[in-house]
Amino acid sequence: MEPRQGALGEVSGYPYAPSITAVGTPGRVSIIVVHYAGAADLTACCDSVLAQDHPDIELLVVDNGSADGAASLLPPDRRLRRLWMPHNTGFAVAANAGLHAATGDAVVLLNPDAALRAGCLSSLVGALEHADIAAPRLLLADDPERLDNCGHDLFPDGLNWCRGRGELARGRYEEAGDLLVFSGAAVAFRRSALARCGGLDPGYWAYGEDADLALRAARLGLRCRYVPSAVVTHRVGGSFGRHGLLKAFLVERNRVRVAATHLPLSWLLMAPLWTG
């Protein structure tokens, strides 16, 4: 059953959806960065945002109960706002707090271990003139000649996988095109699109919430565009590490949740063949 659109444009039936009005400050881009660990990553991320050539930037750094207090150490800047969560609430809750506070008519979710290259923000905002969601080209920060992802594809068992992960970047995924699933490491939205589909589901805590939001947007007919001219470097695993039992548990649990929520019965019946 497709979620119903509520009075403010958000999707009803998703009680976690923040109250996002459909109209923000014209020309302003709000960038939301949720920080838990990695002071050096956060500093590099924020520096890359504030160095962009877009004329009206609002950077919201949400400290999600971090132990390092890195958000408080960021140098003052009129474009920077800080929000404080009382403890580690999980990525989705902290990101929703940022969405609730954002005032721009375009909104970007950006991981603290990601950094925008020159012109990235302008390319994403330009793509939003013809699309509801814009996804950049992500390179591995530790090996920028190789891809991190160019959006995600989806297996019938609900697992989403990074297009191009580890491949040499030259000559791969260099054409713009429509996507089904974006990567939550870096993604831009029209504010009106977020008002329709709502925020992130805190039940995922971490991992999979981007696939859930992407599929929710697709069910509403919203268009997601891959923008190869918008380049981001991403140090995978800045908060959780590349591997670990908690990460493995969350990825697998949330894969099942994505599948049960969004996928047709025929895909679910095939899921054991893919998962096995």
Side-chain angles (χ1 to χ4, degrees), residues 3 29 48 60 84 96 112 155 204 209-210 276:
V29 182
S48 77
L60 297 105
W84 307 93
N96 282 348
F155 284 126
Y204 286 86
E209 69 284 314
D210 50 356

Side-chain angles (χ1 to χ4, degrees), residues 8 19 21 33 53 57 65 81 99-100 105 109 123 125 159 166 178-179 207 209 221 228 232 239-240 256 268:
L8 292 178
S19 299
T21 56
V33 178
D53 58 3
I57 290 173
R81 297 170 58 194
L99 292 175
H100 182 73
D105 65 357
L109 292 178
S123 291
V125 171
L159 182 67
D178 288 350
L179 279 176
Y207 302 108
E209 69 284 314
V232 175
S239 294
F240 276 88
V256 173
L268 296 177

Side-chain angles (χ1 to χ4, degrees), residues 57-270:
I57 290 173
E58 175 185 56
L59 173 58
L60 297 105
V61 175
V62 185
D63 184 290
N64 199 21
S66 74
D68 56 28
S72 63
L73 302 177
L74 294 170
D77 190 293
R78 64 175 179 78
R79 298 167 292 176
L80 171 64
R81 297 170 58 194
R82 299 171 176 88
L83 288 76
W84 307 93
M85 306 302 287
H87 53 83
N88 185 359
T89 58
F91 174 78
V93 171
N96 282 348
L99 292 175
H100 182 73
T103 62
D105 65 357
V107 179
V108 176
L109 292 178
L110 183 65
N111 277 10
D113 57 1
L116 308 182
R117 287 198 171 173
C120 178
L121 201 56
S122 293
S123 291
L124 290 174
V125 171
L128 292 179
E129 295 179 5
H130 305 287
D132 301 289
I133 304 167
R137 178 179 177 88
L138 279 81
L139 306 177
L140 292 170
D142 297 335
D143 186 1
E145 298 300 315
R146 294 186 180 273
L147 296 169
D148 170 35
N149 78 75
C150 302
H152 289 177
D153 281 328
L154 192 68
F155 284 126
D157 64 355
L159 182 67
N160 60 92
W161 58 276
C162 300
R163 296 198 312 163
R165 168 68 62 84
E167 296 181 20
L168 286 171
R170 184 183 296 275
R172 296 291 290 151
Y173 299 101
E174 293 181 334
E175 298 295 325
D178 288 350
L179 279 176
L180 177 62
V181 180
F182 53 77
S183 167
V187 60
F189 304 86
R190 285 188 188 183
R191 186 184 189 90
S192 58
L194 278 174
R196 288 188 64 195
C197 59
L200 298 166
D201 182 347
Y204 286 86
W205 206 78
Y207 302 108
E209 69 284 314
D210 50 356
D212 172 68
L213 181 57
L215 293 172
R216 222 183 311 146
R219 288 165 63 185
L220 290 170
L222 300 178
R223 184 186 186 193
C224 178
R225 191 74 173 164
Y226 167 61
V227 187
S229 60
V231 180
V232 175
T233 57
H234 183 212
R235 192 173 71 81
V236 180
S239 294
F240 276 88
R242 289 177 180 263
H243 308 287
L245 290 178
L246 177 59
K247 180 175 181 178
F249 166 75
L250 290 171
V251 168
E252 179 60 16
R253 184 196 67 176
N254 295 346
R255 172 193 69 76
V256 173
R257 183 169 181 158
V258 167
T261 303
H262 295 286
L263 301 187
L265 179 60
S266 59
W267 283 35
L268 296 177
L269 293 174
M270 291 174 58

